[in-house]
Amino acid sequence: MNRAALCRATAAHLDLLLPLVEEFCAVDEHPYDEARVRRAVGPLLADDSLGVIWLIGDPPGGYAVLTWSYSLESGGRDALLDEIYLRERGRGLGSAALAAIYDDLRARGITRIFLETEEHNARARRFYARNGFVVEPSTWMAADL
């Protein structure tokens, strides 16, 4: 794969994206609620104001979801790699996709990217470490509103 194999997902790609999200949920042991996913991806498919969804590969065999936030610690706008999923792993597709995503983020003036991984997913943490991510001493916490 080369860096050109990223395609910004739009509403026209929804039927292609949903099965990939369902597969990701199964692999990452998350419940899949199609109505909830449709509501969540709608604004991201409409424009880049909240983030972007990239389809990975040609034909697409994966996707990445990036969302924007703002942090004093980051010096301004930063990004969250909310999800990345590839059907085929171990062939360099993920690393190539991340390199292209990093280029896009730099072009947007974003200088820091965050992500979270599940404790059980050591393979993902090794992949992220190979691609420049380091474990931070911070602990994420959450509260449902």
Side-chain angles (χ1 to χ4, degrees):
M1 176 179 135
N2 60 38
R3 292 182 182 198
L6 284 185
C7 170
R8 190 203 177 288
T10 66
H13 298 108
L14 184 61
D15 289 338
L16 178 63
L17 180 63
L18 289 176
L20 292 168
V21 174
E22 186 172 13
E23 290 172 25
F24 167 80
C25 289
V27 167
D28 219 33
E29 301 176 11
H30 294 290
Y32 177 74
D33 178 342
E34 184 173 321
R36 183 178 181 149
V37 171
R38 284 178 178 270
R39 281 191 310 274
V41 302
L44 297 172
L45 297 175
D47 62 49
D48 291 1
S49 61
L50 298 175
V52 64
I53 299 176
W54 295 106
L55 295 174
I56 303 170
D58 185 20
Y63 71 98
V65 178
L66 283 292
T67 59
W68 320 138
S69 60
Y70 194 91
S71 167
L72 297 180
E73 287 183 41
S74 296
R77 200 163 122 180
D78 55 29
L80 171 69
L81 178 58
D82 186 48
E83 293 182 7
I84 185 168
Y85 172 71
L86 293 163
R87 284 181 175 146
E88 295 183 33
R89 295 181 201 125
R91 297 181 43 200
L93 296 171
S95 293
L98 279 179
I101 288 167
Y102 293 169
D103 287 345
D104 177 71
L105 295 176
R106 287 185 198 100
R108 295 174 188 271
I110 296 172
T111 59
R112 193 158 208 211
I113 182 172
F114 293 91
L115 61 80
E116 67 167 320
T117 61
E118 303 298 327
E119 281 187 44
H120 65 82
N121 201 339
R123 181 179 180 174
R125 286 193 304 279
R126 286 190 304 271
F127 165 75
Y128 293 129
R130 284 193 310 271
N131 285 280
F133 286 89
V134 296
V135 175
E136 291 200 331
S138 300
T139 299
W140 286 38
M141 299 172 70
D144 290 333
L145 304 176

